[in-house]
Amino acid sequence: MKNEKYSAGDTVAMLCSGCDEETSHSIQTVTKLGKISAAVCDTCQTSSTFKAGVKTGVAAGNAKAAKPYDRAKRYRKGQAMTHPVFGHGEVTAVLELEKIDVLFGDRTRRLIHAQE
Ligand SMILES: [Zn+2]
């Protein structure tokens, strides 16, 4: 995570959920630590809020790359997925016997993969 500090009124490029691409945003509010807490897209005026500090383009890109969980697929450590019940997850370990550990939020769950 970068340590840049921002101020209200600054302009920053970030992924816009409205435009679905990186656009210029005007910062509206920042936290005491200089992290963006709310910004508005200059293109579509979509307002984004940030609970856990700055949402970086890289993090947003990873979230976007997450594909629905597919038990027939072979997963590798670090891959992201979305699960119909558990939500967004990331593979934390590949185990023997076609099992993987996937972290969903703050809970790790064991799923199967590479099923023919
Ligand atoms: Zn936008």
Side-chain angles (χ1 to χ4, degrees):
M1 179 89 52
K2 282 190 284 187
N3 278 326
E4 279 180 69
K5 290 196 174 183
Y6 298 94
S7 309
D10 284 355
T11 299
V12 65
M14 65 172 79
L15 198 70
C16 172
S17 53
C19 300
D20 204 26
E21 64 181 56
E22 199 157 279
T23 59
S24 169
H25 285 66
S26 297
I27 298 171
Q28 293 199 301
T29 57
V30 294
T31 67
K32 278 182 290 191
L33 296 172
K35 302 230 182 260
I36 301 167
S37 50
V40 173
C41 173
D42 290 342
T43 304
C44 71
Q45 308 301 314
T46 291
S47 178
S48 301
T49 54
F50 305 89
K51 282 180 186 156
V54 178
K55 182 175 73 173
T56 67
V58 173
N62 283 345
K64 208 176 168 188
K67 299 242 170 36
Y69 167 62
D70 179 356
R71 59 190 284 171
K73 185 175 157 67
R74 184 173 291 275
Y75 288 91
R76 291 190 311 274
K77 189 177 175 186
Q79 279 190 300
M81 67 170 71
T82 56
H83 190 280
V85 176
F86 308 134
H88 181 84
E90 184 178 313
V91 179
T92 55
V94 177
L95 311 166
E96 55 192 328
L97 300 173
E98 294 160 354
K99 290 190 172 72
I100 48 175
D101 276 350
V102 184
L103 182 66
F104 294 100
D106 57 1
R107 287 194 67 172
T108 298
R109 296 180 187 269
R110 192 150 295 178
L111 302 179
I112 53 173
H113 75 138
Q115 305 292 303
E116 296 301 328

